[in-house]
Amino acid sequence: MHGNLTQRDHGEAAASDPSRHVSPDCSGLNFYEIDRGVRDLVQLYLPAEDRQRLEPHFARMGALAGGRLDQLARVADKHAPVPNPRDAFGRDEDWIDYHPAYRQMEEIAFGDFQFHAMSHRAGALGMDRPVPAVAKYVLQYLFVQAEFGLMCPISVSDTSVHLIRKFASAELQDYLLPRMLSGDMATLWKGTQFMTERAGGSDVGAIETVARLEGDTWRLYGDKWFCSHTDADVALMLARPEGAPEGTAGLALFALPRRLKDGRRNSYRIVRLKDKLGTRSMASGEIRLEGAVAYLVGRQDQGLKQMMEQVNLSRLSHGVRAAAMMRRCLNEALVSARARRAFGDTIVNYPLLRRQLMKLIVPTEQALSMVMFAASAMDEAASGSNAAQYRS
């Protein structure tokens, strides 16, 4: 019987198990503690007081990324979001169902770490002021090593707040910001940006969505073709007011709430979700605007210029995500190389393999260094440095 197996029997069973030849993966590792590069850059770019406060959170995120978050991400990736176009009574109350693993990742990102708010107010991670950009992007870098898809809703929620704070009227700020900056998942409004249409992808000036002023209310008509974070609570989007000129000069920026002030669904529909090769955990789809209520953000003739601030901030976040994915691949390669044996030795000891690993290490470190330098310039610019404002 199994309970009577001797130590010799166990040894023979282990020796006959072919899985012993398969290299381990990164499961259970702390992605902050094993990454000398990011720890050195934290030392370089964060003041001592901020390091002391935030390093425990870096280590905590590193452990999550190598542990629970990684496990949740694997499950969420296998269970894509499911659209529901109508409720049981045939009403167009469209919504999207997410796997519980995705919702748990949201709790970590928006509830625990408050990625969406940490750059804009005090309180996140116990800080008495907004978290420095360097620290925010270190946390994003660690998070994405486990989960890439959710970082899109995280980033666009963060950058949407920036646009509302900078360009929206005081009245619109009072309406949106308390919800968009909430640390309570029950009251939080997550954000996004919608630009792409069938007529205008890279050529944003070809956008066909029409904004019509009906009385005192702006209403939007048209289609958006690729909408990441399709069911966000508030979407920033470009549309052309009736009578505005063609091209980018005629575009205005609008904030589109998913629900109206009386709680009813706004007049737009999620037509379908995209069947994507990657970022499957996050819902990207198409929407049809059927006279949806929207709020003008900033100057009517400056829509694209205002939107580009969000796009530029997103570019840095995308750079962090690229560095993070490179690092995860490197982590896996290093773990495998240090465990796999061939020709009588661990393969990490062979010069040709070490050369190949170096080809991975150098660009990975370069990518991380670039985004941390850019984040540091943002922090310097925020503190009043004219030279940093030019760089950032």
Side-chain angles (χ1 to χ4, degrees):
M1 295 178 65
H2 179 74
N4 295 325
L5 287 176
T6 66
Q7 183 175 0
R8 177 181 176 183
D9 292 329
H10 281 295
E12 291 177 350
S16 64
D17 181 5
S19 68
R20 74 188 189 280
H21 299 300
V22 179
S23 299
D25 60 19
C26 289
S27 297
L29 297 180
N30 185 311
F31 289 168
Y32 182 68
E33 292 180 355
I34 67 173
D35 191 340
R36 172 70 180 273
V38 74
R39 289 187 284 111
D40 284 350
L41 290 170
V42 165
Q43 291 283 330
L44 177 64
Y45 288 127
L46 272 185
E49 180 182 356
D50 288 342
R51 287 202 309 273
Q52 185 176 3
R53 288 188 178 188
L54 293 169
E55 278 220 280
H57 297 292
F58 298 155
R60 185 162 63 96
M61 178 57 79
L64 283 167
R68 179 167 171 250
L69 184 62
D70 189 51
Q71 295 164 2
L72 293 171
R74 291 172 188 263
V75 174
D77 192 62
K78 294 177 182 177
H79 300 276
V82 178
N84 296 271
R86 288 184 168 181
D87 68 9
F89 300 96
R91 293 173 297 205
D92 290 332
E93 286 282 342
D94 54 356
W95 73 95
I96 298 172
D97 286 328
Y98 294 89
H99 191 274
Y102 184 85
R103 293 302 191 193
Q104 291 178 53
M105 293 193 295
E106 286 187 315
E107 289 280 355
I108 294 171
F110 291 100
D112 185 359
F113 283 84
Q114 297 187 29
F115 275 108
H116 64 291
M118 63 171 53
S119 289
H120 308 289
R121 61 161 171 78
L125 306 181
M127 292 286 284
D128 58 359
R129 61 188 186 281
V131 172
V134 167
K136 178 178 74 173
Y137 289 120
V138 167
L139 290 166
Q140 287 194 13
Y141 167 77
L142 295 168
F143 185 97
V144 170
Q145 289 182 52
E147 165 61 6
F148 181 88
L150 183 56
M151 187 49 66
C152 176
I154 291 169
S155 177
V156 288
S157 294
D158 170 24
T159 55
S160 293
V161 170
H162 171 78
L163 259 62
I164 295 298
R165 292 184 69 185
K166 185 167 183 178
F167 299 116
S169 66
E171 181 181 6
L172 187 56
Q173 290 188 40
D174 290 343
Y175 172 43
L176 294 178
L177 288 181
R179 296 168 171 84
M180 297 179 75
L181 291 172
S182 174
D184 179 2
M185 296 296 292
T187 60
L188 169 64
W189 277 19
K190 289 168 283 191
T192 191
Q193 65 179 55
F194 298 159
M195 287 195 293
T196 305
E197 301 183 8
R198 277 169 283 194
S202 299
D203 183 6
V204 178
I207 280 177
E208 295 177 339
T209 296
V210 173
R212 184 177 301 156
L213 188 58
E214 300 179 3
D216 296 328
T217 302
W218 284 100
R219 293 187 177 273
L220 304 183
Y221 298 86
D223 294 86
K224 293 293 181 181
W225 182 242
F226 197 97
C227 304
S228 293
H229 197 197
T230 314
D231 59 339
D233 301 287
V234 57
L236 295 180
M237 66 172 60
L238 295 173
R240 194 179 312 280
E242 285 187 319
E246 296 297 315
T248 57
L251 298 176
L253 179 63
F254 293 89
L256 175 82
R258 182 158 171 77
R259 293 200 171 271
L260 303 176
K261 291 182 179 180
D262 62 6
R264 291 181 297 119
R265 274 282 282 114
N266 206 347
S267 300
Y268 70 90
R269 296 176 54 218
I270 300 172
V271 180
R272 66 175 178 177
L273 298 186
K274 299 291 192 179
D275 187 13
K276 300 173 293 181
L277 292 175
T279 62
R280 295 182 61 83
S281 63
M282 182 266 298
S284 299
E286 303 161 21
I287 67 167
R288 177 170 299 153
L289 300 151
E290 302 169 328
V293 172
Y295 299 89
L296 182 65
V297 178
R299 289 177 50 181
Q300 185 172 324
D301 61 348
Q302 297 292 306
L304 179 62
K305 291 181 181 179
Q306 294 167 171
M307 176 66 89
M308 286 307 296
E309 289 214 15
Q310 185 172 30
V311 172
N312 286 336
L313 288 171
S314 296
R315 283 173 176 160
L316 179 55
S317 180
H318 280 291
V320 174
R321 288 175 241 177
M325 289 188 289
M326 293 167 71
R327 181 69 205 194
R328 178 61 188 265
C329 293
L330 175 60
N331 286 345
E332 297 289 355
L334 289 171
V335 167
S336 180
R338 290 164 178 160
R340 174 77 172 172
R341 292 185 62 84
F343 306 106
D345 198 0
T346 307
I347 62 173
V348 75
N349 294 324
Y350 293 118
L352 283 178
L353 181 66
R354 296 174 75 88
R355 180 185 180 190
Q356 292 305 113
L357 288 173
M358 189 59 66
K359 290 180 180 179
L360 301 179
I361 292 170
V362 171
T364 300
E365 296 287 355
Q366 288 172 328
L368 177 62
S369 182
M370 181 276 293
V371 296
M372 288 297 104
F373 176 81
S376 176
M378 290 177 64
D379 284 331
E380 291 179 28
S383 67
S385 167
N386 291 330
Q389 286 179 3
Y390 176 78
R391 291 202 305 273
S392 62

